Amino acid sequence: MERKTITDTLQRPLRDLRISVTDRCNFRCTYCMPKEIFGRDYEFLGRDQLLSFEEIERLSRIFVAHGVEKIRLTGGEPLLRRDIEKLVSMLANIEGLQDIAMTTNGSLLIPKAKALKEAGLKRITVSLDSLDDATFMSLNDVDFPASKVLEAIDASADAGLTPVKVDMVVKRGVNDQDIVSMAGHFRNTGHILRFIEFMDVGSTNGWRMDEMVSAAEIVERINAVWPIEPVDPNYYGEVAERYRYIDGAGEIGIIASVTVPFCSACTRSRLTADGQLFTCLFGVRGHDMRSLLRSGASDEEIGAFLSRVWGQRTDRYSEIRSEGTIPLEKVEMSRIGG
Ligand code: SF4
């Protein structure tokens, strides 16, 4: 298939594909998969509803032919999907694909890091919301200790998946007291700690604006201890705002979807584990690609469908959030993979 670039109604090119390979997770983070909703009786996707590795690989080829350069594997928790390194190596063989990354909670990473790297994984992002076990356990709600995640970050570095990005979702009154201690821990490690403003993803995490700690406040708190300065983005559409320590101790990032929206350069598409294409993290309705795959559609037909969907894209949710026209039933983070 000939490679081409497709743009949406705001002239944003399709460059990134985030693939959720499972809607299951072994954590129950309160801002993503609260236990009250995702409890014992919750019906997760069945095996036959999930896209197979072959289906994911085929769709990825078509997305790459339409401009995608980077694929990120997400979940739920992607390492719950058996033999995930097999999928990584299938994707690594796609011509034109420049980067394969993964976002994980790190709980299953230690025995897998080396195999993922060997399979072709280029970058890894590990979520860690606090160094304090009591706080971290209250957030992941499965009593998983922070020390184990730190070991997983070390294992990723040993495997050559460097720099490791470490994502911290900051919630006021829950873990914002750990902003400076987290920054202190990752200074001079070469890893990039990124603070994420608490977002109203989905409709089950009970989001409130007053529980969100803004990027400006996070910068202020760190700058008061270790002076930092802004750095230019690495590339068009980069999500995190970059800052570096003036004393040379490294870099941090802030993902400020609420206070500094970045929709104008958003090049990201998302695929759920059951093959629904979403053009925004805060989307309400997906576009069914699995039925196309399973009804014998050709690559050209699927490509045309993708071009049509992306070509009609108008999403800029974070920019209009403050206008108050918020849809109720947004797709859940665990389904769309962040
Ligand atoms: S809110 Fe939607 S359009 Fe805006 S940056 Fe996020 S995913 Fe992109």
Side-chain angles (χ1 to χ4, degrees):
M1 192 178 256
E2 198 207 323
R3 205 171 141 72
K4 59 182 170 186
T5 296
I6 55 176
T7 55
D8 68 12
T9 61
L10 302 174
Q11 304 319 313
R12 299 169 293 185
L14 171 63
R15 288 251 179 90
D16 304 79
L17 172 60
R18 297 183 172 205
I19 306 174
S20 166
V21 295
T22 177
D23 61 340
R24 294 169 192 262
C25 187
N26 54 351
F27 282 12
R28 287 292 178 273
C29 299
T30 53
Y31 55 78
C32 175
M33 268 182 115
K35 249 183 203 162
E36 312 78 69
I37 311 283
F38 299 90
R40 284 183 193 291
D41 309 327
Y42 185 83
E43 280 191 33
F44 290 99
L45 293 170
R47 195 157 185 74
D48 57 343
Q49 294 171 290
L50 292 177
L51 292 183
S52 67
F53 287 174
E54 290 69 23
E55 288 173 326
I56 294 173
E57 193 251 355
R58 184 176 166 210
L59 278 181
S60 299
R61 272 183 197 287
I62 296 167
F63 275 78
V64 170
H66 288 76
V68 162
E69 297 168 354
K70 276 195 306 181
I71 287 180
R72 177 172 291 275
L73 300 177
T74 66
E77 170 47 43
L79 294 178
L80 281 174
R81 185 88 189 243
R82 203 175 304 146
D83 302 330
I84 188 78
E85 59 274 18
K86 187 172 158 236
L87 174 62
V88 172
S89 65
M90 291 163 74
L91 298 176
N93 289 328
I94 297 178
E95 206 182 315
L97 184 59
Q98 295 166 19
D99 190 11
I100 306 173
M102 179 183 284
T103 301
T104 169
N105 64 25
S107 59
L108 304 167
L109 185 53
I110 295 172
K112 286 268 184 184
K114 202 158 169 291
L116 288 167
K117 172 70 180 175
E118 284 165 3
L121 192 72
K122 295 246 171 71
R123 298 180 301 121
I124 197 135
T125 300
V126 180
S127 308
L128 179 63
D129 297 321
S130 176
L131 296 170
D132 173 71
D133 267 348
T135 304
F136 186 52
M137 289 179 179
S138 74
L139 271 164
N140 65 51
D141 213 6
V142 292
D143 293 340
F144 196 87
S147 53
K148 283 272 172 233
V149 179
L150 291 173
E151 282 174 37
I153 292 169
D154 291 343
S156 305
D158 294 345
L161 291 165
T162 48
V164 177
K165 287 190 176 164
V166 180
D167 280 1
M168 174 186 183
V169 174
V170 181
K171 199 173 172 183
R172 192 180 300 284
V174 177
N175 65 340
D176 65 298
Q177 71 281 0
D178 299 330
I179 290 171
V180 171
S181 58
M182 282 281 281
H185 180 89
F186 288 103
R187 277 169 49 83
N188 296 309
T189 62
H191 302 317
I192 300 174
L193 174 61
R194 306 186 316 166
F195 300 94
I196 303 180
E197 288 183 345
F198 178 36
M199 294 181 280
D200 53 333
V201 181
S203 44
T204 61
N205 71 359
W207 184 80
R208 293 200 342 238
M209 182 66 98
D210 61 5
E211 289 181 324
M212 187 273 306
V213 179
S214 71
E217 186 177 339
I218 294 169
V219 167
E220 201 182 303
R221 291 198 197 186
I222 294 173
N223 201 43
V225 185
W226 300 287
I228 53 176
E229 62 187 0
V231 186
D232 290 337
N234 287 307
Y235 53 86
Y236 169 84
E238 185 168 23
V239 173
E241 296 185 345
R242 300 173 62 208
Y243 292 84
R244 71 167 157 245
Y245 294 106
I246 290 177
D247 66 3
E251 186 178 322
I252 61 164
I254 304 185
I255 299 176
S257 161
V258 180
T259 61
V260 192
F262 36 80
C263 303
S264 59
C266 178
T267 59
R268 290 169 293 282
S269 59
R270 293 169 169 89
L271 204 56
T272 63
D274 58 349
Q276 304 296 311
L277 168 63
F278 280 83
T279 54
C280 176
L281 175 60
F282 302 91
V284 173
R285 190 175 66 83
H287 305 268
D288 187 2
M289 301 198 89
R290 186 185 61 190
S291 306
L292 283 175
L293 282 168
R294 295 184 181 179
S295 63
S298 67
D299 286 2
E300 286 65 32
E301 287 164 332
I302 297 173
F305 178 85
L306 171 60
S307 296
R308 209 168 38 252
V309 171
W310 189 263
Q312 292 164 359
R313 179 189 187 225
T314 58
D315 300 285
R316 54 189 195 91
Y317 174 84
S318 287
E319 287 178 356
I320 60 171
R321 178 190 281 110
S322 54
E323 292 169 15
T325 51
I326 295 188
L328 291 175
E329 290 305 315
K330 292 174 272 137
V331 63
E332 292 302 328
M333 174 73 107
S334 58
R335 194 150 177 268
I336 199 169

